[in-house]
Amino acid sequence: MPMKVLFVSSEVFPLIKTGGLADVSGSLPNALQRLGVDIRILIPGYPAVLNQLADLKSIGTLHHLPHIDHAELLLGIIKETKVKVIVIKSAALYERNGGPYADPNGLEWQDNPVRFGVLSKVASILASEHSPITDWHPDIVHCNDWQTGLAPAYMKLTEHSRAKSIISLHNMAFQGSYAPHWVVSLGLPSAGFSIEGFEYHGQLSFLKAGIFYADAITTVSPRYAVEIQTAAFGFGLEGLLSQRSDEIKGILNGIETEEWNPEHDKYLIKNYSSQNLAGKQEVKAALQQSLGLNVDAAAPLLGVVSRLTHQKGLDMLVPHLQTLIDQGCQFALLGGGEMGLEALFQNIAIQNPGRVSVTIGYNEPLSHQIMAGCDMFIMPSRFEPCGLNQLYGLAYGTPPIVNATGGLADSVIDSNNAHIANKTANGFVMVEASADGLMACIRRAVEMYRNNKDTWLQIQKTGMSQNLSWDKSAQEYLAVYEGLV
Ligand code: ADP
Ligand code: GLC
């Protein structure tokens, strides 16, 4: 009998995406399905989800959910991957304009505790004897981040589920902490509102619930599994995480090699491979042209695609960016987030026509074009649970320049003399997490790009020929599941 897994997530590419969680929630279930796992994703029925799934049909109704009278369950299929998806259809909770977590102005939905409490609750019901789906019962409920954190609590405390739960930690910075009155109104037992439960500093913490009640915990890179047990990275939950140290496993994210592959990326005017990088020059020229940059093959083109938040450390780039531009570099940024940071970059763009391009907003095609058309990719994150963009940079022959943290440290090997000699170098790692440290690292990369073409090519080819797919990591998740049942 194949293992049955309910994979619960608040965003799944290509249905709905705000960041890397969606990439993982689209590609990992696909890889697990290839390994023979009988997997179904559970996701809220946002309009984008209802519009894009194929073969949607009703498979049951749930009554007496917290705050809503009922919700319909739909089953559909992701066209691209053929992975099955169970959708919670509730117009009251999920059918709105805006993003999965916030309204069109970026303000968090006030009823997020209900929206994600219900997601968690439904997961626990589907893993219980009361599930309206009678022909499919999961052995494993695989939760992701705080939005699903109450599921392990409901499974243990109210639904008495026999299935096992696992929570994957993609980012400890977001915990879903809410006022204590939500405990009762979300149907959780008051007894659980304690240190030994889901209480955290007088609040109901969705993430703590997941970490406390799940049968297994994973992080999205091995380094992050160690980091989050320290005060610097645990965001207050390091104590609990240290207590469960033996049960935490770090598994590095893979990438969807159909979607992110320079050999057949549909967003590029020319495809290319590690055997023949000529096409990358054409993509660079087209990118320069479309962004209004001077079309100049020799100018080192530095790229960024990112949320603009403290986590990503891009403020460290601001102090020295003008110097880099004055020294002949070009810069292309795509991203959005903190308005102050957006404005800083937009100002630099205004002052440097033809040399700096800043695009604020979300743009899927442009994210691929920057990844492919740039010469190097900058990612100085202060913390990075895994990071996917540096992996895309490796795959696209765009060596990443990164800070030594989390998944960046686990995937980027610095181009120092020793690593160049043994042919493992694939990018550049900052020695110090500061503006000067980043500048020194970029200088090293630019210097090599300009003066040592052979070594540069070797670094590009090393990244491009790595196996970055899910093959190995999906096996590791399967091993975690098998250890539980
Ligand atoms: P995080 O999830 O912390 O934001 P990751 O590196 O894991 O960081 O994943 C970010 C994902 O979101 C990548 O697929 C990246 O290409 C995408 N992304 C980020 N910002 C944008 C944007 N402005 N437009 C398009 N894609 C974006
Ligand atoms: C989070 C993290 C990022 C990770 C992604 C997918 O968004 O910030 O580092 O790559 O989840 O696991």
Side-chain angles (χ1 to χ4, degrees), residues 11 17-24 170-171 174 253 260 305-308 311-312 334-336 359-368 371 377 379 383-390 392:
E11 49 181 284
K17 166 168 165 176
T18 71
L21 173 62
D23 290 2
V24 171
H170 300 259
N171 200 331
F174 304 106
N253 285 337
W260 289 96
V305 177
S306 184
R307 292 185 289 119
L308 297 178
Q311 172 187 347
K312 300 296 177 180
L334 166 66
T359 310
I360 301 298
Y362 184 87
N363 187 326
E364 189 74 25
L366 184 57
S367 71
H368 286 246
M371 202 50 84
F377 190 84
M379 206 166 167
F383 66 95
E384 197 58 79
C386 178
L388 293 169
N389 276 319
Q390 85 281 10
Y392 301 150

Side-chain angles (χ1 to χ4, degrees), residues 83-319:
V83 173
K84 289 184 180 136
V85 181
I86 300 172
V87 181
I88 308 168
K89 181 164 166 52
S90 163
L93 294 187
Y94 306 125
E95 290 169 45
R96 315 172 171 176
N97 289 327
Y101 318 118
D103 70 16
N105 298 318
L107 283 180
E108 284 210 9
W109 300 113
Q110 286 300 304
D111 58 349
N112 275 347
V114 187
R115 299 172 72 242
F116 298 110
V118 166
L119 173 64
S120 300
K121 178 76 178 181
V122 171
S124 72
I125 296 173
L126 298 188
S128 78
E129 286 170 1
H130 317 292
S131 174
I133 303 173
T134 50
D135 59 350
W136 191 86
H137 296 285
D139 305 301
I140 298 280
V141 176
H142 187 153
C143 303
N144 294 277
D145 274 355
W146 74 266
Q147 296 88 342
T148 61
L150 292 188
Y154 284 124
M155 285 170 72
K156 286 229 160 79
L157 303 176
T158 67
E159 303 307 319
H160 309 293
S161 168
R162 276 201 302 262
K164 299 292 181 189
S165 61
I166 131 169
I167 185 153
S168 292
L169 305 175
H170 300 259
N171 200 331
M172 294 297 300
F174 304 106
Q175 302 192 352
S177 287
Y178 299 104
H181 66 79
W182 288 106
V183 172
V184 174
S185 74
L186 288 174
L188 289 162
S190 307
F193 193 65
S194 80
I195 291 196
E196 300 284 303
F198 37 71
E199 184 264 349
Y200 179 65
H201 288 289
Q203 306 265 92
L204 161 63
S205 167
F206 277 49
L207 187 63
K208 188 188 169 202
I211 295 171
F212 188 85
Y213 292 102
D215 297 303
I217 302 167
T218 65
T219 61
V220 288
S221 70
R223 174 78 70 106
Y224 196 57
V226 178
E227 287 175 341
I228 59 172
Q229 298 178 46
T230 67
F233 296 93
F235 286 89
L237 292 174
E238 58 275 5
L240 172 60
L241 288 161
S242 311
Q243 280 168 28
R244 300 206 62 185
S245 196
D246 293 345
E247 295 151 294
I248 305 176
K249 185 166 173 53
I251 303 176
L252 192 70
N253 285 337
I255 69 175
E256 182 61 78
T257 47
E258 286 301 305
E259 188 66 26
W260 289 96
N261 187 335
E263 290 184 47
H264 48 249
D265 188 320
K266 60 177 183 269
Y267 298 119
L268 308 183
I269 59 147
K270 191 82 189 199
N271 291 112
Y272 60 92
S273 69
S274 62
Q275 303 312 309
N276 183 359
L277 277 143
K280 186 170 168 73
Q281 278 306 320
E282 291 181 48
V283 177
K284 177 176 176 179
L287 180 69
Q288 287 172 321
Q289 178 108 48
S290 70
L291 293 178
L293 298 168
N294 303 329
V295 178
D296 178 353
L301 177 50
L302 320 181
V304 166
V305 177
S306 184
R307 292 185 289 119
L308 297 178
T309 62
H310 185 72
Q311 172 187 347
K312 300 296 177 180
L314 287 160
D315 49 293
M316 291 189 251
L317 184 58
V318 174

Side-chain angles (χ1 to χ4, degrees), residues 43-122:
I43 192 171
Y46 318 112
V49 169
L50 299 173
N51 290 338
Q52 288 177 81
L53 284 173
D55 304 336
L56 264 186
K57 59 167 194 265
S58 178
I59 52 167
T61 304
L62 290 170
H63 294 281
H64 312 301
L65 293 165
H67 293 260
I68 54 169
D69 176 61
H70 73 278
E72 197 182 347
L73 295 176
L74 307 176
L75 181 68
I77 198 161
I78 299 177
K79 292 177 199 123
E80 291 80 356
T81 56
K82 308 284 178 255
V83 173
K84 289 184 180 136
V85 181
I86 300 172
V87 181
I88 308 168
K89 181 164 166 52
S90 163
L93 294 187
Y94 306 125
E95 290 169 45
R96 315 172 171 176
N97 289 327
Y101 318 118
D103 70 16
N105 298 318
L107 283 180
E108 284 210 9
W109 300 113
Q110 286 300 304
D111 58 349
N112 275 347
V114 187
R115 299 172 72 242
F116 298 110
V118 166
L119 173 64
S120 300
K121 178 76 178 181
V122 171

